[in-house]
Amino acid sequence: GLYGPNDAKYCGTMGTNQQHITATAPDCVPCNKSRCPFIEEQSHTYAPCMVNIRPEEIQKALNKMLAQIDTTI
């Protein structure tokens, strides 16, 4: 799961083979707000915390999950 405004410890996916990718910037992470004040106040299109999750981080987590799949079935 991708987590920007929310804390994966409280709302993340559960079970085996789960990957939590959490934003580390800006300083308001995790704010746990349903609406981003940056979007509303500064006319941003996307929440800065979600934009700061890099595609490389997602690819790394995906590769880790794929490496765990048993392909001998």
Side-chain angles (χ1 to χ4, degrees), residues 57-70:
E57 295 175 77
I58 298 168
Q59 184 67 50
K60 182 179 176 182
L62 179 60
N63 289 342
K64 184 177 179 180
M65 288 180 68
L66 291 173
Q68 295 174 353
I69 295 175
D70 185 1

Side-chain angles (χ1 to χ4, degrees), residues 29-71:
V29 171
C31 69
N32 294 310
K33 294 182 180 178
S34 59
R35 301 191 80 137
C36 178
F38 284 103
I39 293 174
E40 295 175 359
E41 295 170 7
Q42 299 177 15
S43 300
H44 286 275
T45 304
Y46 301 103
C49 58
M50 295 303 287
V51 172
N52 284 321
I53 297 176
R54 306 300 313 149
E56 296 82 16
E57 295 175 77
I58 298 168
Q59 184 67 50
K60 182 179 176 182
L62 179 60
N63 289 342
K64 184 177 179 180
M65 288 180 68
L66 291 173
Q68 295 174 353
I69 295 175
D70 185 1
T71 58

